[in-house]
Each structure stands twice: as structure tokens, then as C-alpha cells.
């Protein structure tokens, strides 16, 4: 995350520095939302109005640790050899 100081022009315009646009992958034409809050402003990309594809979610969760095997990842999943018993628990 970067921080930059910008100046409001006489026309009420601001320029988002290139390094921040690059970091956020904001290209020309990217639609943004400006949200007024009690403590200031929030600027974010406009949420798409259509459905998301699974590929749109890639990279949303970050993990900085060592790689985890599939077996290790699945250890914490609730599993019962008896399917009926497992179904009862999910209700």
C-alpha cells in the first residue's frame, strides 16, 4: 500500500500518481467511486454490475507462508466416513 500527497486543482481535479495507478492496475477508463465518510474520502474501483467469474476472484486472498499440501489443507475439513451422519451435522 502506498501513500501520496496530491493537490486539488482550481477546477476541483486531482491526479492519481502513476505508481499508485500501476499498483492498483487502474488503466484509462477505469470507473471509480468516491465515497464521503465522516473521516474523509474513500476512492475505489466501481463494482461490476454483472456476475463475477471464478477468475475474477483469483488473488483475492493472500497467503505469505510456505506452500501447503492438499492433504494438509484438507485436514481441517469436517469429514465423516458415514455420509448420513455428516448430512445430519450440516442441518
Amino acid at each position: 500500500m502506498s501513500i501520496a500527497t496530491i493537490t486539488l486543482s482550481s477546477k476541483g481535479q486531482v491526479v492519481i500518481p502513476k505508481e499508485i495507478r500501476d499498483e492498483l492496475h487502474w488503466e484509462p477508463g477505469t470507473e471509480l467511486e468516491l465515497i464521503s465518510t465522516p473521516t474523509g474520502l474513500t476512492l475505489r474501483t466501481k463494482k461490476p454490475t454483472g456476475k463475477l467469474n471464478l477468475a475474477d476472484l483469483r488473488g483475492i486472498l493472500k497467503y505469505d507462508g510456505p506452500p501447503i499440501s492438499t492433504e494438509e489443507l484438507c485436514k481441517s475439513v469436517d469429514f465423516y466416513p458415514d455420509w448420513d451422519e455428516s448430512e445430519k451435522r450440516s442441518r
Side-chain angles (χ1 to χ4, degrees):
M1 179 168 69
S2 301
I3 297 175
T5 300
I6 56 177
T7 304
L8 188 65
S9 76
S10 61
K11 294 182 179 183
Q13 299 170 326
V14 296
V15 174
I16 301 168
K18 182 177 181 349
E19 51 274 2
I20 292 180
R21 293 191 319 262
D22 289 347
E23 180 181 320
L24 297 172
H25 308 287
W26 287 357
E27 301 292 330
T30 300
E31 290 189 340
L32 305 172
E33 295 177 330
L34 185 63
I35 302 141
S36 177
T37 68
T39 58
L41 297 171
T42 300
L43 183 65
R44 67 180 182 198
T45 53
K46 186 175 179 184
K47 294 178 183 174
T49 55
K51 292 182 179 179
L52 291 176
N53 293 324
L54 185 58
D56 295 332
L57 302 175
R58 187 179 320 148
I60 196 169
L61 300 176
K62 303 295 180 196
Y63 176 72
D64 292 330
I68 299 174
S69 70
T70 304
E71 292 79 20
E72 185 69 26
L73 188 62
C74 292
K75 262 188 194 178
S76 61
V77 175
D78 186 14
F79 173 75
Y80 282 93
D82 180 2
W83 178 258
D84 294 329
E85 187 64 31
S86 181
E87 283 294 301
K88 288 177 190 174
R89 288 200 59 179
S90 65
R91 290 186 191 132

